[in-house]
């Protein structure tokens, strides 16, 4: 079976390597090293990122997540 995945996060960036930040700031690594996965990874696996939004609730009966802005997904 296949299903779409929705990834919700309150940060406005796709997941990135936090330990790598210090290396980028000191100049020993490029900014391009921060993302953990490429945008293609999410597209190929049908993962829809919803960035910049915090999940604040779950409606179990309707299988929905409520975002801070009131939108239900």
């Amino acid at each position: 079976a296949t299903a779409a995945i929705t990834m919700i996060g309150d940060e406005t960036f796709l997941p990135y390597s936090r330990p790598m930040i210090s290396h980028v700031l000191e100049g020993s690594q490029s900014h391009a090293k921060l993302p953990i996965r490429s945008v293609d990874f999410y597209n190929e696996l049908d993962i829809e990122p919803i960035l910049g939004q915090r999940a604040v609730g779950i409606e179990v009966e309707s299988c929905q997540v409520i975002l801070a802005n009131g939108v239900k997904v």
Side-chain angles (χ1 to χ4, degrees):
T2 61
I5 298 171
T6 302
M7 179 178 66
I8 300 168
D10 62 349
E11 292 189 338
T12 57
F13 307 100
L14 288 170
Y16 57 92
S17 174
R18 285 165 177 76
M20 188 66 71
I21 291 173
S22 60
H23 299 287
V24 171
L25 292 175
E26 74 182 11
S28 65
Q29 295 291 329
S30 74
H31 184 269
K33 295 280 190 175
L34 286 177
I36 294 173
R37 304 275 188 210
S38 70
V39 172
D40 291 338
F41 171 85
Y42 300 100
N43 292 335
E44 290 169 8
L45 293 177
D46 200 16
I47 299 171
E48 177 192 356
I50 297 179
L51 306 176
Q53 288 294 325
R54 180 177 294 270
V56 296
I58 298 173
E59 288 189 358
V60 177
E61 294 84 25
S62 63
C63 299
Q64 291 182 309
V65 175
I66 305 164
L67 304 179
N69 65 0
V71 171
K72 295 179 183 179
V73 290

